[in-house]
């Protein structure tokens, strides 16, 4: 039974705006949670992405809360670009234009990046430069903490609430709206009278293959009218790892059709290094049916809704090629299999008719119970559908569903082909090819349940010949553009040397970069350290390498193209192929025995290798002499690090710092850190996920 809804009281001058910048949705989730908190304190609250608000509108508010993640090389998210550009206008300097604004800010960061929380810090500094003052201390979260962002966010948000209650008290006997009382919904859906569609027929199941356990109904192929998206035809979808390998890695080729109005795309092409393609997955029909059955929506699922009378979320794009029903929204727009956020469980509690279930749901959301919440949701990767099944008394009213279920967000994949595969005719007909290399998310949890990511499941069964919608996002940094890979006067342009480090599918943007450098005629030397588990299983794009045997059958010099020396690190092979390092000849003597060569490697650089470890950071240390020669050249090299987040980026960076110290380019570790951060010495670009 639905509880009575309480409307916040309108109080003159009591308003607040919550603005967010978000790439993956985490900052948006926090912003929405904070906006609900301020509504319960009877603030007239607006919550929106930064790009939707102009500065002239911002200064109308008494208070502002900013929430932003950091992306790329310390940049603000894409949906803050217009706002940030306006905020940085030179003519605003010394104007005190934000003097009436009071604000606070929370940043979402990841300490595996060197510029952790740089976006929030830059935004905070600029707001203060323009006269804004802080009404509450800033907060910063770290995704790498044991409890993730929550470790900093939960205490910060609780303190913020207490500060608002104390410093901005409610008049008279008015009290905050209790957490166990639902607020009025922001959206609603109105159905057409009498228009009921026949239940949507399920698409033909994919042809059974050796790596699919059983065929299952596939999502419908209708296309959403997503702004700035492109139509793409799937040419091929090939598994490139053996079926016996633990991970299913796909190489997907798409034929894309652009239009002349896609000006930004025309400016970017033919160079694709660092660019990403956004894939928009869909839910599977049986999951949608499960949800409608559990919630009691089956009688409404196939009724046409009136778009003009319905209020839908901004980023929800209904089908345009046919009339839409609730089932279409649940299939194409709402993420119903995600691991639920804490706010979802709190909203569920409002509609639990069983008191024990209600109490249990509220327990998960209380401050101090982060570990219990984590153990129930994130640790076993329990899905929204499974959580709803665990609390059968919860029946979400349809008018709240549009607000509670998160929208399906496009998943970004690094484009792995470059300029050499973009035909010259693109300028005329707008046709070009995009290649993706995607590792599918499939695993078993601690409770031994198999899991598949929404997009992984979608891609796994994406058949050749299917037409889909994609978006192309430019690189987060101009570092990889060919014009930035060349330095010096026009009459004597020199290419920057490249030191690339890739693990797993992190090879995708590196492959695109190698293609772009080749197309631009850059012949500067390049080293590629590529880490994977097994030489025979996931040495991606090995067929594009050429080998020249050295003295030992297990020592190979592997090249990608004419000038990219490949140094692999196979972490799980018992006797992995090793590339012999180039070492400085003692006394000018060019030839050494293998023992003498080993003796020339600094002891601490051999220590971990001798223990049997074989990761990219160990190979960086082992090949320190080659790296040092590139670092001390006349042209500052580019270092690119791509692959899994976590410990790898930090350890790779530390390995480069160790090389600087060991080969006497700097006097100590602190000087090495300064060197790596100095763009006059080296351009360091990192893209991890």
């Amino acid at each position: 039974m639905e509880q009575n809804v309480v409307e916040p009281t309108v109080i003159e001058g009591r308003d607040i705006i919550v603005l967010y910048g978000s790439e993956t949705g985490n900052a948006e989730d926090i912003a929405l949670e904070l906006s609900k908190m301020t509504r319960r304190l009877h603030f007239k609250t607006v919550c929106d992405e930064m790009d939707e608000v102009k500065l002239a509108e911002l200064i109308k508010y008494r208070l502002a809360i900013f929430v932003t993640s950091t992306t790329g090389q310390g940049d603000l998210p894409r949906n803050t670009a217009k706002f940030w550009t306006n905020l940085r206008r030179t003519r605003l300097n010394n104007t005190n234009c934000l003097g009436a604004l009071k604000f606070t800010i929370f940043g979402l960061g990841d300490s595996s990046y060197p510029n952790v929380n740089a976006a929030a810090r830059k935004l905070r500094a600029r707001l203060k430069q323009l006269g804004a003052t802080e009404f509450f201390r800033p907060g910063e979260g770290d995704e790498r903490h044991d409890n993730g962002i929550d470790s900093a966010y939960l205490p910060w948000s609780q303190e913020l609430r207490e500060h608002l209650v104390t410093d901005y008290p409610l008049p008279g006997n008015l009290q905050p709206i209790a957490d166990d009382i639902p607020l009025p919904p922001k959206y609603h859906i109105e159905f057409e009278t009498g228009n009921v569609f026949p239940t949507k027929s399920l698409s033909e199941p994919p042809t059974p293959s050796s790596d699919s356990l059983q065929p299952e109904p596939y999502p419908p192929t209708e296309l959403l009218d997503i702004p700035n998206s492109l139509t793409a035809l799937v040419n091929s979808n090939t598994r490139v790892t053996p079926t016996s390998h633990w991970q299913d890695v796909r190489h997907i080729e798409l034929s894309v059709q652009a239009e002349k109005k896609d000006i930004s795309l025309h400016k970017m092409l033919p160079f694709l290094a660092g660019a990403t393609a956004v894939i928009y997955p869909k839910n599977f029909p049986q999951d949608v049916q499960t949800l409608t059955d559990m919630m009691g929506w089956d009688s409404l699922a196939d009724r046409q809704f009136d778009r003009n009378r319905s209020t839908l979320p901004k980023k929800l794009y209904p089908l345009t090629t046919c009339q839409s029903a609730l089932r279409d929204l649940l299939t194409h727009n709402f993420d119903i299999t995600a691991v639920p956020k804490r706010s979802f469980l709190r909203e569920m509690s409002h509609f639990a008719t069983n008191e024990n279930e209600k109490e249990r749901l509220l327990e998960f959301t209380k401050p101090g119970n982060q570990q219990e919440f984590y153990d129930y949701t994130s640790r076993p990767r329990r899905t929204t559908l499974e959580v709803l099944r665990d609390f059968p008394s919860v029946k979400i009213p349809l008018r709240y569903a549009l607000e509670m279920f998160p929208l399906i967000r496009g998943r970004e994949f690094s484009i792995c082909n470059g300029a050499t595969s973009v035909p010259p005719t693109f300028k005329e007909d707008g046709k070009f090819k995009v290649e993706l290399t995607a590792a599918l998310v499939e695993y078993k949890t601690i409770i031994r349940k198999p899991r598949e990511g929404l997009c992984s499941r979608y891609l796994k069964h994406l058949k050749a010949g299917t037409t889909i919608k994609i978006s192309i996002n430019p690189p987060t940094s101009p570092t990889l553009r060919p014009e930035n890979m060349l330095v010096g006067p026009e009459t004597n342009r020199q290419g920057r040397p490249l030191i690339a480090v890739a693990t797993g599918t992190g090879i995708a943007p590196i492959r695109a970069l190698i293609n772009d450098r080749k197309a631009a005629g850059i012949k500067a030397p390049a080293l590629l350290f590529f880490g994977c588990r097994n030489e025979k299983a996931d040495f991606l794009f090995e067929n594009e390498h050429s080998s020249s045997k050295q003295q030992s059958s297990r020592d190979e010099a592997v090249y990608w193209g004419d000038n990219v020396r490949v140094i692999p690190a196979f972490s799980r092979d018992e006797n992995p192929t090793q590339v012999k390092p180039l070492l400085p000849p003692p006394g000018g003597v060019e030839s050494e025995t293998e023992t003498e060569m080993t003796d020339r490697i600094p002891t601490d650089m051999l220590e971990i290798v001798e223990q049997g470890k074989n990761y990219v950071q160990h190979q960086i240390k082992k090949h320190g002499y080659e790296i040092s020669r590139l670092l001390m050249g006349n042209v500052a090299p580019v270092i690119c690090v791509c692959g899994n987040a976590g410990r790898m980026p930090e350890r790779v960076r530390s390995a480069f710092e160790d090389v600087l110290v060991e080969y006497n380019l700097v006097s100590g570790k602190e000087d090495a850190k300064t060197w790596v951060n100095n763009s006059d010495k080296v351009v360091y670009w990192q893209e991890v996920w």
Side-chain angles (χ1 to χ4, degrees):
M1 183 175 62
E2 185 177 339
Q3 287 187 332
N4 293 329
V5 171
V6 175
E7 287 272 3
T9 303
V10 177
I11 303 172
E12 184 68 28
R14 189 177 177 86
D15 51 38
I16 193 167
I17 187 168
V18 183
L19 296 177
Y20 60 86
S22 185
E23 286 286 342
T24 62
N26 291 330
E28 181 179 358
D29 289 334
I30 284 180
L32 290 171
E33 191 169 319
L34 291 172
S35 70
K36 289 179 180 177
M37 180 262 285
T38 57
R39 289 175 70 197
R40 291 184 180 278
L41 298 179
H42 300 281
F43 281 92
K44 182 182 178 182
T45 303
V46 170
C47 182
D48 214 333
E49 57 186 36
M50 292 186 208
D51 272 357
E52 293 297 317
V53 176
K54 297 179 180 178
L55 292 186
E57 298 171 8
L58 176 62
I59 59 177
K60 295 178 182 178
Y61 292 88
R62 184 182 183 187
L63 301 174
I65 301 174
F66 292 89
V67 184
T68 184
S69 58
T70 298
T71 186
Q73 315 307 303
D75 306 311
L76 275 86
R78 289 188 180 92
N79 63 351
T80 69
K82 289 190 297 184
F83 181 85
W84 182 235
T85 299
N86 289 333
L87 206 64
R88 295 177 64 200
R89 286 178 293 175
T90 305
R91 65 186 181 88
L92 296 181
N93 293 344
N94 304 314
T95 62
N96 202 42
C97 61
L98 297 182
L101 182 70
K102 295 182 179 180
F103 79 97
T104 187
I105 188 167
F106 187 83
L108 289 79
D110 186 331
S111 56
S112 65
Y113 281 85
N115 297 313
V116 58
N117 273 311
R121 295 171 188 175
K122 287 192 293 189
L123 177 57
R124 175 176 177 248
R126 184 55 176 166
L127 290 169
K128 294 175 71 173
Q129 283 177 357
L130 299 180
T133 56
E134 292 177 291
F135 74 87
F136 184 68
R137 68 173 180 86
E140 291 187 355
D142 182 3
E143 190 62 49
R144 295 298 142 195
H145 191 279
D146 288 345
N147 290 322
I149 297 297
D150 278 354
S151 61
Y153 166 68
L154 288 179
W156 181 86
S157 61
Q158 185 64 28
E159 290 176 31
L160 172 61
R161 184 187 184 281
E162 293 169 359
H163 180 85
L164 290 171
V165 169
T166 303
D167 283 37
Y168 302 89
L170 290 166
N173 295 323
L174 186 62
Q175 296 296 315
I177 301 171
D179 287 342
D180 61 350
I181 298 175
L183 294 169
K186 294 169 58 178
Y187 312 110
H188 72 278
I189 186 168
E190 296 288 342
F191 291 97
E192 296 280 9
T193 56
N195 290 338
V196 181
F197 298 145
T199 301
K200 299 268 182 167
S201 61
L202 306 182
S203 297
E204 289 297 320
T207 302
S209 61
S210 58
D211 59 337
S212 63
L213 297 178
Q214 59 184 16
E216 55 183 337
Y218 193 70
T221 56
E222 294 102 331
L223 301 178
L224 299 181
D225 188 18
I226 300 170
N228 303 315
S229 63
L230 306 170
T231 301
L233 178 70
V234 180
N235 292 332
S236 64
N237 180 1
T238 308
R239 176 167 181 160
V240 293
T241 51
T243 55
S244 57
H245 189 56
W246 71 280
Q247 188 169 53
D248 184 348
V249 178
R250 297 294 171 120
H251 186 74
I252 300 170
E253 294 188 6
L254 306 171
S255 291
V256 184
Q257 178 65 63
E259 298 181 14
K260 290 187 177 180
K261 67 179 181 179
D262 300 318
I263 298 174
S264 60
L265 186 60
H266 281 265
K267 286 182 178 179
M268 181 177 65
L269 290 171
F271 302 108
L272 288 165
T276 58
V278 183
I279 301 292
Y280 300 95
K282 304 174 185 182
N283 289 310
F284 279 63
Q286 60 268 43
D287 291 334
V288 173
Q289 189 61 51
T290 297
L291 178 63
T292 58
D293 289 343
M294 284 195 298
M295 295 298 103
W297 299 338
D298 209 40
S299 62
L300 299 173
D302 298 302
R303 287 185 60 183
Q304 180 184 345
F305 66 87
D306 187 329
R307 298 185 193 181
N308 295 324
R309 293 190 298 128
S310 299
T311 305
L312 304 176
K314 277 186 179 181
K315 301 292 184 180
L316 187 151
Y317 306 109
L319 297 175
T320 56
T321 55
C322 64
Q323 295 172 313
S324 292
L326 172 62
R327 190 181 300 275
D328 296 309
L329 293 181
L330 297 176
T331 299
H332 297 274
N333 298 100
F334 289 105
D335 196 342
I336 63 175
T337 61
V339 176
K341 304 288 186 180
R342 184 178 48 256
S343 57
F344 187 87
L345 270 64
R346 183 182 296 116
E347 295 298 315
M348 278 179 62
S349 71
H350 296 153
F351 312 113
T353 55
N354 180 289
E355 287 301 317
N356 290 333
E357 291 183 13
K358 183 183 184 73
E359 183 179 349
R360 182 65 175 147
L361 287 165
L362 288 174
E363 281 293 323
F364 284 128
T365 66
K366 288 181 180 178
N369 287 355
Q370 299 99 303
Q371 190 62 47
E372 190 174 0
F373 170 74
Y374 172 81
D375 288 342
Y376 176 67
T377 57
S378 297
R379 195 166 180 229
R381 308 303 295 172
R382 194 173 260 108
T383 69
T384 300
L385 289 178
E386 289 173 330
V387 170
L388 289 169
R389 193 177 291 119
D390 285 348
F391 296 89
S393 79
V394 174
K395 305 297 179 188
I396 300 172
L398 191 54
R399 64 197 186 109
Y400 280 92
L402 301 182
E403 186 172 350
M404 286 181 60
F405 289 97
L407 294 177
I408 293 176
R409 303 181 72 91
R411 271 58 165 181
E412 285 190 79
F413 295 90
S414 293
I415 294 174
C416 66
N417 60 304
T420 55
S421 58
V422 177
T425 55
F426 164 76
K427 297 295 182 182
E428 287 73 44
D429 59 22
K431 295 179 179 179
F432 64 104
K433 184 174 70 172
V434 163
E435 296 179 31
L436 308 175
T437 301
L440 304 190
V441 179
E442 299 175 305
Y443 57 93
K444 285 188 177 181
T445 68
I446 59 168
I447 56 177
R448 308 306 298 167
K449 283 195 174 183
R451 294 285 189 245
E452 287 181 294
L454 174 64
C455 195
S456 294
R457 187 180 176 194
Y458 177 73
L459 290 178
K460 183 173 183 177
H461 300 288
L462 191 60
K463 296 185 293 183
T466 304
T467 300
I468 63 174
K469 285 283 190 176
I470 70 167
S471 299
I472 303 291
N473 287 332
T476 55
S477 169
T479 297
L480 304 187
R481 295 287 297 179
E483 57 266 29
N484 296 320
M485 288 279 180
L486 295 165
V487 294
E490 290 292 336
T491 55
N492 186 29
R493 302 282 276 170
Q494 291 181 279
R496 293 185 186 274
L498 171 67
I499 305 171
V501 182
T503 58
T505 55
I507 193 63
I510 301 302
R511 179 177 182 254
L513 178 58
I514 292 171
N515 268 272
D516 281 1
R517 284 168 64 92
K518 180 179 180 181
I522 298 174
K523 300 184 181 301
L527 287 175
L528 167 60
F529 296 90
F530 179 54
C532 61
R533 289 197 172 197
N534 308 105
E535 183 174 8
K536 301 301 182 184
D538 54 348
F539 192 12
L540 304 178
F541 302 112
E542 181 188 14
N543 61 321
E544 299 181 13
H545 305 163
S546 60
S547 301
S548 60
K549 295 282 185 179
Q550 295 183 351
Q551 294 175 358
S552 167
S553 62
R554 298 299 295 170
D555 292 325
E556 296 184 356
V558 183
Y559 288 88
W560 198 339
D562 298 329
N563 61 338
V564 181
R565 180 167 151 86
V566 182
I567 301 169
F570 306 118
S571 63
R572 297 295 189 272
D573 286 347
E574 292 184 5
N575 185 26
T577 295
Q578 298 284 339
V579 176
K580 192 173 294 184
L582 300 178
L583 298 165
V589 179
E590 290 292 340
S591 61
E592 296 180 282
T593 67
E594 188 165 340
T595 301
E596 289 171 332
M597 289 181 72
T598 302
D599 289 343
R600 297 279 295 160
I601 303 176
T603 303
D604 67 328
M605 292 193 176
L606 269 179
E607 181 179 352
I608 299 180
V609 178
E610 288 174 346
Q611 294 175 0
K613 301 293 184 182
N614 191 33
Y615 297 119
V616 285
Q617 62 265 31
H618 307 135
Q619 293 298 326
I620 288 170
K621 291 184 177 185
K622 184 176 178 181
H623 294 263
Y625 173 62
E626 296 167 73
I627 293 171
S628 68
R629 289 199 304 177
L630 297 181
L631 292 174
M632 65 192 302
N634 295 326
V635 179
V638 175
I639 294 179
C640 296
V641 181
C642 302
N644 295 332
R647 296 177 179 176
M648 184 276 289
E650 181 181 350
R651 290 180 175 179
V652 163
R653 194 179 188 90
S654 180
F656 281 121
E657 293 165 359
D658 289 342
V659 167
L660 288 168
V661 174
E662 289 293 342
Y663 289 92
N664 300 315
L665 274 70
V666 295
S667 58
K669 192 76 169 181
E670 290 304 314
D671 289 340
K673 292 178 180 179
T674 302
W675 175 298
V676 173
N677 289 325
N678 185 349
S679 59
D680 291 332
K681 298 288 188 181
V682 60
V683 179
Y684 202 101
W685 183 81
Q686 179 175 300
E687 192 67 49
V688 296
W689 48 86

